[in-house]
Each structure stands twice: as C-alpha cells, then as structure tokens.
Amino acid sequence: MIVKTYAAALQGIDAIPVTIETLLDSGFMLTMVGLPDTAVKESAERVSSAINVSGFGFPRKKVVINLAPADVRKEGSAYDLPIAAGIVAADGKIKPDHLGEFLMIGELSLDGSLLPVKGVLPMAIMARKLGYRGMIVPKANALEAAVVNNLEVYGCSNFAEVAGFLNDSVALTPTVVNTREEFSKAYASFPYDFADVKGQQGVKRAFEVACAGGHNILLVGPPGSGKSMMAKRLPSILPPLSLAEALETTKIHSVAGKLKGGSMLMTSRPFRSPHHTISPVALVGGGANPVPGEISLAHNGVLFLDEFPEFSRSVLEVMRQPLEDRHINISRAKYSIDYPAGFMLVASMNPCPCGYYNHPTKECTCSQTQVQRYLSRISGPLLDRIDLQVEIMPVPFAELRELEPGESSESIRERVVRARAAQAARFADDPATHCNAQMSPAQLARYARPTDEAMAILEKAMVKYDMSARAYDRILKVARTVADLDGAAEIGPAHIREAISYRTLDRSTWGLK
C-alpha cells in the first residue's frame, strides 16, 4: 500500500507543496528519491531511531520514499516528521484517515522529540491557501504558524504524540492566536532614544526627514561626532509596521531561521548592521542553500553600513539595483529566486583617511589627493541613490555639559507618522508607492512641483554649487517630504532650501582644501 503524507519546500520566501509517498515492499533497505539533499538523506537514521524509541518498531521491509515533485530539490531536516508518519502508516500502525488533512513539518531527534525548523510561516500560509485543515508542527513553531488565521495548528513535543493524535487516541488543543489583537498590543520598546543625544539639531532634523519620506541618508563626519550613536536610534522614530508589513518581514526572517523560538509576528522594523568585511553573497542572499541576505533581512526596516568606504567595491555596487527596484533577483545554475529588498539605507563615513577634514579644532593631515581618493571609494551611481548627504561635526563642550535632555523619539515619531499618513493618502491609488522616496518621474511631476520662487532658488543653487542633473529629482523628493512635515500642500522656498542643504557631497567644492 502506498501512503501519502504532505509537507512543503521553500522557494525564496514562499513555500510549495511536497507530497511524500511511502511504499513498503519485500526486502531490507531504505531508498529515498526525489532530489533529497544530504540532510534529507541522513533523516533515515533519525527517523528509524525515533520510530523505535516511540514504540512502533521500524518495519523490517524495503522502504521506498518518493518526494514529489521530483524535480525540486528538497533541503533541510523539516521532512523528518512526515517521512516517519508515512512509514508507520504504511506499516499499518497509524490510521491513514487524517493524513490528507494536515501538513506536517518537523525535525526528529533520536529519542523521538520534535525540534523546531525554519520557514514555518510561509508554509502555514501555503497550507491555508491549498485548503488543508491544519498543520502539525514542533511545539516551538506553533505560535509562528498560528499567526495564520483559519488554520488549525497543533504543536507537538514528540513523534508518539503525533501518532496518537492521528490515531484519535490523543486529544490535542490547537494553538490559537488573534493576530490583529496581539499585533495591536505589541508596541515596540526601544533601548535607545534621541532624548539622549545632546545638540546635533541639524542632524536630528535630517533623520526626521529621512524617516518621514523613506529616504536613504549618508552621514559624513569625524570620529566621535555621534554618527553611529544617532543611527542606532533611528528605529525609534520610524513609523510602526502595518500588519501586512509585519507578516512579510516575519516570513523573511522565518525562512532565514532568524526568528527566536516561540516568536509570533515581528512588531518592530528590522535594523541590520553588517560588518564591513561582509561578502556580496551574504549581503544580497543566495549561496549553495539559498537564504535571504542582509538587504532582505532589512526589508521594511533599516540597513546601517558603518565605515561606508571600508566595504569592498563589489559589495557596495551590488546594492545599486536593489536600492532602485526594492527587490533582488538571484539567478544561479540550479535556481532563480526573487527576494524583497525594500530597505532604507543609512550609511556613515569619515570625510578622509585621518578623519579630521573640515574639523573645527583638529588639523587634517591628508593631502587633497588622499581626500579625493577616499571619497571616490563611493561610486557616483551609488551616491546618486542616497537622497540626504549630511555633514556632521562634534558637539561643543558647552552643549555636552547641559543636563537637559533633547527632544524624545516619541515626539519626533509623531511628526513622522503624520507625514507618512499624508503620503499614504496621496499614493492610495498606486499600491507600489508607499512613500516619497519611491516616486516615479510621473508622480514627481504631479506631486512635487515647486512654486516659481522655489524653482528659482533651486536653479540658482544648482548653478552656484555645480550640482549634477541627478541631484534634481532627489532634491524635489526631499522637498516634498519637508513640505509634508510642515503640512504644506505646495513646495515653497523654505522647503527647497532645506532640501538643498542635504546635498553636501554634490557640491563641486566639497573635498577641496
């Protein structure tokens, strides 16, 4: 008799169904077909031990297991549970009545206990879409799967418990999560607050503008000026995740195996800060067993690159397409995967190798050639995709000794949320555009048209500072965000002036001694 159990395989951040067919025949060997990888092949030892320890006895027959579809590579240990259930059911010790109703996922240890696996959330979404009654998962994954409504999720501790449930001899209670209620309760608390930052009002304002419009930002300043300190506080002023964004973000982290045990939805925007020695594959994703990279783990959140010029040129250049398209397509000989990559880039760098170019009190020891060479590590096309380029200077001692805290992140966040609400209303008819930074040329012409006086100021500034044409669109997008923060319908002179002030590196005289 052929018995079928049901599992799932991951492709990108989505899941596809996998049918596990089990046949017992005369003989004494176990054969597994259907493109299993090493981890799946090694499941034979785990499965046989778990079946024996659970009291069922591994059948003394030839066992043939087919993982369909056979042209999709099966990876990981998540197939242990459905394989074990199929073998025991084919041996007549589990009733096959309920096997077609459930998707089963889980890794078995030698003693039969169930261990958590990654990618359970996209599998649960697929199970509901395909009409399964429910899922049987390790107890540690139950809350993650139960985020999906209208799907019975049973968290089990061991294989014996699963077999008893399928035989109707063990009663299990499905895990229930009211997704919307739990999400509304989960207000993120942040370890860092802008109230701790003394001075730097101009840089704080630049961060506020960047968060309000979803703009990328680059901080240029000497060591100790507070670049990293303020970047770490950026998540505290970003608008909260919507439920749809939280589900999408959680899917990515689930597939990457980054969710902590017992986790449900991610309720705060991700903040990723990779070291400058990161490889291109680790940044964009892929590998022998493809997983999302840092730019996808930062989706709907922040990717912070400290010491920006120290990253290798190949690493920085692979970000150009994701920054523009908000997704990354990875094509290799054996697979082609599309990962979302809608992140906000925040970068920081010193102005020169010694770090003290333009410092008010310390002298720079670098030559003009060294300064220019250091700045040229960031290519023009990449710099073109950074909307705000802000120069930051150390805080004077008089401001450091003040005991009064600065403006709190909560009050800044309120203004950011109001500006984002205005943008949501503006782009209500275009679901692909969520904030001003994503405006197309047509939307820019429609929504970011400055007054005549403001346009005259922009023209004068571009001529005076010899700005490139590529800065034009960026200035208008930022000016639109500044106007949103002011609650203004039109882009006026003050909005244009502020937007121009955020284009430090576009000025032809910057970096010349």
Side-chain angles (χ1 to χ4, degrees), residues 129-212:
K129 182 179 179 180
L130 295 181
Y132 285 93
R133 172 185 159 191
M135 281 186 75
I136 299 175
V137 300
K139 187 159 286 186
N141 290 125
L143 285 175
E144 180 186 342
V147 166
V148 180
N149 297 325
N150 303 318
L151 184 74
E152 295 179 13
V153 175
Y154 296 93
C156 298
S157 301
N158 52 62
F159 179 68
E161 193 175 0
V162 174
F165 174 68
L166 293 172
N167 281 329
D168 297 322
S169 60
V170 173
L172 295 178
T173 302
T175 302
V176 178
V177 173
N178 188 325
T179 307
R180 295 188 180 276
E181 182 180 340
E182 292 297 326
F183 183 71
S184 63
K185 288 180 182 178
Y187 292 104
S189 58
F190 301 97
Y192 306 109
D193 194 290
F194 270 99
D196 305 327
V197 180
K198 302 292 181 65
Q200 302 291 13
Q201 299 304 320
V203 183
K204 289 181 184 177
R205 172 64 177 181
F207 272 129
E208 181 180 337
V209 172
C211 292

Side-chain angles (χ1 to χ4, degrees), residues 130-386:
L130 295 181
Y132 285 93
R133 172 185 159 191
M135 281 186 75
I136 299 175
V137 300
K139 187 159 286 186
N141 290 125
L143 285 175
E144 180 186 342
V147 166
V148 180
N149 297 325
N150 303 318
L151 184 74
E152 295 179 13
V153 175
Y154 296 93
C156 298
S157 301
N158 52 62
F159 179 68
E161 193 175 0
V162 174
F165 174 68
L166 293 172
N167 281 329
D168 297 322
S169 60
V170 173
L172 295 178
T173 302
T175 302
V176 178
V177 173
N178 188 325
T179 307
R180 295 188 180 276
E181 182 180 340
E182 292 297 326
F183 183 71
S184 63
K185 288 180 182 178
Y187 292 104
S189 58
F190 301 97
Y192 306 109
D193 194 290
F194 270 99
D196 305 327
V197 180
K198 302 292 181 65
Q200 302 291 13
Q201 299 304 320
V203 183
K204 289 181 184 177
R205 172 64 177 181
F207 272 129
E208 181 180 337
V209 172
C211 292
H215 303 287
N216 303 318
I217 182 171
L218 170 64
L219 298 180
V220 185
S225 55
K227 301 185 296 293
S228 300
M229 176 188 182
M230 284 189 281
K232 290 177 181 178
R233 284 157 174 76
L234 193 64
S236 66
I237 63 173
L238 283 168
L241 285 168
S242 67
L243 182 57
E245 288 176 326
L247 279 168
E248 187 178 31
T249 305
T250 307
K251 276 178 62 178
I252 298 169
H253 285 251
S254 175
V255 168
K258 301 295 184 181
L259 286 182
K260 297 179 181 178
S263 298
M264 290 189 294
L265 279 178
M266 294 181 63
T267 56
S268 59
R269 294 186 181 272
F271 181 88
R272 306 294 300 182
S273 180
H275 192 260
H276 63 258
T277 56
I278 189 173
S279 69
V281 172
L283 186 71
V284 302
N289 297 318
V291 293
E294 288 292 331
I295 62 173
S296 295
L297 292 173
H299 182 64
N300 292 322
V302 175
L303 178 68
F304 176 49
L305 302 183
D306 201 4
E307 304 297 341
F308 201 34
E310 302 304 324
F311 286 79
S312 72
R313 187 69 174 253
S314 60
V315 168
L316 294 180
E317 292 307 300
V318 296
M319 288 196 301
R320 285 163 53 178
Q321 181 262 333
L323 280 170
E324 196 74 23
D325 298 339
R326 296 176 59 80
H327 68 88
I328 177 73
N329 184 272
I330 302 169
S331 296
R332 300 292 184 267
K334 295 183 179 180
Y335 61 83
S336 179
I337 293 176
D338 192 87
Y339 288 126
F343 60 93
M344 177 179 163
L345 175 64
V346 179
S348 68
M349 61 181 285
N350 294 331
C352 65
C354 79
Y356 295 108
Y357 174 73
N358 270 358
H359 195 282
T361 58
K362 297 183 179 180
E363 184 178 355
C364 175
T365 60
C366 305
S367 67
Q368 180 178 323
T369 303
Q370 288 176 311
V371 174
Q372 292 296 327
R373 186 183 298 120
Y374 187 76
L375 293 175
S376 67
R377 293 185 186 180
I378 313 301
S379 70
L382 180 59
L383 197 62
D384 179 36
R385 289 160 172 81
I386 301 177

Side-chain angles (χ1 to χ4, degrees), residues 402-479:
E402 289 181 0
L403 298 179
E404 290 294 326
E407 186 179 17
S408 69
S409 293
E410 185 178 357
S411 60
I412 300 174
R413 192 185 200 190
E414 289 176 359
R415 296 194 295 270
V416 169
V417 169
R418 283 198 300 269
R420 283 291 184 103
Q423 293 165 50
R426 178 182 302 133
F427 305 124
D429 296 333
D430 187 356
T433 306
H434 304 284
C435 55
N436 289 335
Q438 301 168 16
M439 281 193 290
S440 65
Q443 291 171 327
L444 198 65
R446 180 178 179 185
Y447 300 118
R449 187 175 298 172
T451 63
D452 292 341
E453 185 181 356
M455 181 59 80
I457 294 172
L458 176 56
E459 180 182 0
K460 183 178 179 180
M462 293 193 69
V463 172
K464 178 180 179 181
Y465 297 118
D466 194 22
M467 291 185 179
S468 64
R470 71 188 180 212
Y472 178 77
D473 285 358
R474 303 290 170 176
I475 291 174
L476 288 181
K477 289 179 180 181
V478 173

